[in-house]
Amino acid sequence: MVTKTDWLDAGLKVLADEGSLALTIERLTTELGLSKGSYYHHFKGTGGFRTALLEHFEGKFTTRLIDAVERRPEADASTKLTELMNLVLADPDSVRLEIAVRAWALQDPEARAAQERVDHARTAYLQALCRGIGSVKEPDHLAKLLYLILIGAEQIVPPVPAAELRALYGTTLSLATGAPFLI
């Protein structure tokens, strides 16, 4: 039996591959090989699906990552930052999805609000981590810079490969902390 999460994961795949205009009932039922009845069992129409999809994106690509890092509350901020960056860089397929959600946010107020929540949560968490690294002079600026490096690296064509992005993060953090920082 197909679950609500299966529908949402299929929606994220369609969104990443084809953009927000492809998020139709017909496209999703084709993707999963199911009937519209199964779709309506889980969602109250397209609006309900899109709301749930944005929440799923936020949970899977923001909240889940923060929660994974915070499973080790005793770890210092540098260790947590390294772990977070490794988690982010471990999923190269998420780049297309991130681009698709940002494009959708330019056209849809609900997607824009979700993107704003995601950006705020991510930068706030990065700020908290950077504030915990004692040698950083401008931790809030560093946090924004780290996030902007990721967003920019995803937006250029082709996107910056994870290995190069890892090196850019290492260089940035070494410059900011005055000490070698390996990601």
Side-chain angles (χ1 to χ4, degrees):
M1 173 157 201
V2 174
T3 67
K4 183 176 182 177
T5 300
D6 293 330
W7 280 101
L8 295 171
D9 286 341
L12 291 178
K13 181 182 181 316
V14 168
L15 178 61
D17 292 346
E18 302 172 42
S20 64
L21 294 178
L23 291 173
T24 64
I25 296 170
E26 291 76 18
R27 179 66 188 87
L28 293 165
T29 55
T30 300
E31 181 72 24
L32 290 170
L34 297 169
S35 69
K36 291 181 182 180
S38 176
Y39 176 90
Y40 287 111
H41 171 75
H42 294 290
F43 307 102
K44 293 179 181 176
T46 303
F49 175 77
R50 288 175 178 233
T51 297
L53 185 65
L54 289 165
E55 291 170 356
H56 186 61
F57 167 75
E58 186 174 355
K60 189 170 185 175
F61 292 94
T62 301
T63 309
R64 179 183 62 85
L65 299 178
I66 293 169
D67 289 349
V69 172
E70 287 302 316
R71 284 191 189 109
R72 293 183 43 219
E74 75 288 349
D76 65 21
S78 294
T79 301
K80 288 181 179 183
L81 183 58
T82 300
E83 186 175 340
L84 177 65
M85 291 183 172
N86 284 326
L87 287 171
V88 169
L89 296 174
D91 185 6
D93 294 334
S94 69
V95 171
R96 290 188 344 268
L97 180 60
E98 292 281 342
I99 292 168
V101 172
R102 286 189 185 283
W104 186 13
L106 293 173
Q107 304 166 353
D108 181 271
E110 184 178 13
R112 179 181 175 84
Q115 185 65 67
E116 286 177 5
R117 280 192 314 273
V118 164
D119 287 343
H120 176 75
R122 290 172 178 177
T123 52
Y125 187 62
L126 282 169
Q127 286 172 337
L129 293 178
C130 289
R131 287 177 191 151
I133 301 172
S135 59
V136 175
K137 292 180 185 176
E138 297 286 341
D140 290 354
H141 288 167
L142 177 59
K144 286 185 182 178
L145 179 59
L146 293 173
Y147 192 53
L148 292 172
I149 290 170
L150 176 67
I151 301 306
E154 292 173 344
Q155 296 298 314
I156 65 171
V157 178
V160 175
E164 186 177 349
L165 188 53
R166 188 178 307 280
L168 287 168
Y169 279 137
T171 300
T172 302
L173 287 163
S174 293
L175 290 169
T177 63
F181 207 104
L182 299 175
I183 302 296

